[in-house]
Amino acid sequence: MKNLMKTGLAVGLIAVFSVVTANAKVSIGGNNQQSVDVKGAVSNFAMGAGRATQNLASNSGKVTVGGNNKQSVDVKGAVSNFAMGAGKATQNLASNNGKVTIGGNNKQSVDVKGAVSNFAMGVGHATQNMASNNSED
């Protein structure tokens, strides 16, 4: 029974490690097209020491696109990003954030039919990227 539990634990840890490392680097060999259509509000909120990250039609982290890149976000409502306390809120809409390499053309568009807000309170940190390229390194 102990061996079965040890084996189960080992397999579980390997599976968790595989999932965690699978998202560490993204490489796309051809063209990349991302599109988001929201009929309502888009909100991202971090409070206390929390961290909230939201990416819509965006490349974030270590991403390599071998061809052309097209990103578009259409929101028929409000877009808000909010950090309070020591929280960190990052929101990317049709953006490249981090170490992103594009091998071809890059087209980004954001169409918001409503209010757009980015707000940090206290020592909070709120970053909002819309149709932009950003690296916080």
Side-chain angles (χ1 to χ4, degrees):
M1 184 69 170
K2 283 185 180 181
N3 286 337
L4 182 60
M5 288 178 62
K6 286 180 184 178
T7 304
L9 181 61
V11 169
L13 288 174
I14 291 169
V16 168
F17 182 72
S18 297
V19 169
V20 171
T21 58
N23 294 325
K25 182 178 179 183
V26 177
S27 185
I28 301 166
N31 296 328
N32 181 39
Q33 182 169 342
Q34 302 166 327
S35 178
V36 175
D37 186 10
V38 178
K39 292 173 178 52
V42 175
S43 182
N44 190 41
F45 183 78
M47 186 171 146
R51 179 178 177 173
T53 301
Q54 185 176 60
N55 295 302
L56 285 88
S58 297
N59 296 313
S60 181
K62 293 181 180 179
V63 180
T64 302
V65 179
N68 298 324
N69 184 49
K70 181 179 177 183
Q71 301 159 304
S72 65
V73 175
D74 184 16
V75 179
K76 292 169 179 65
V79 174
S80 68
N81 188 43
F82 183 79
M84 186 169 115
K88 179 179 179 182
T90 302
Q91 186 176 54
N92 296 302
L93 282 74
S95 298
N96 295 313
N97 182 37
K99 295 181 180 182
V100 179
T101 304
I102 309 292
N105 297 324
N106 185 38
K107 181 179 179 184
Q108 301 159 300
S109 66
V110 175
D111 184 14
V112 178
K113 293 174 177 62
V116 175
S117 66
N118 186 37
F119 184 75
M121 185 170 135
V123 293
H125 179 83
T127 302
Q128 187 174 54
N129 298 305
M130 294 171 48
S132 60
N133 298 307
N134 179 46
S135 179
E136 293 185 18
D137 293 342

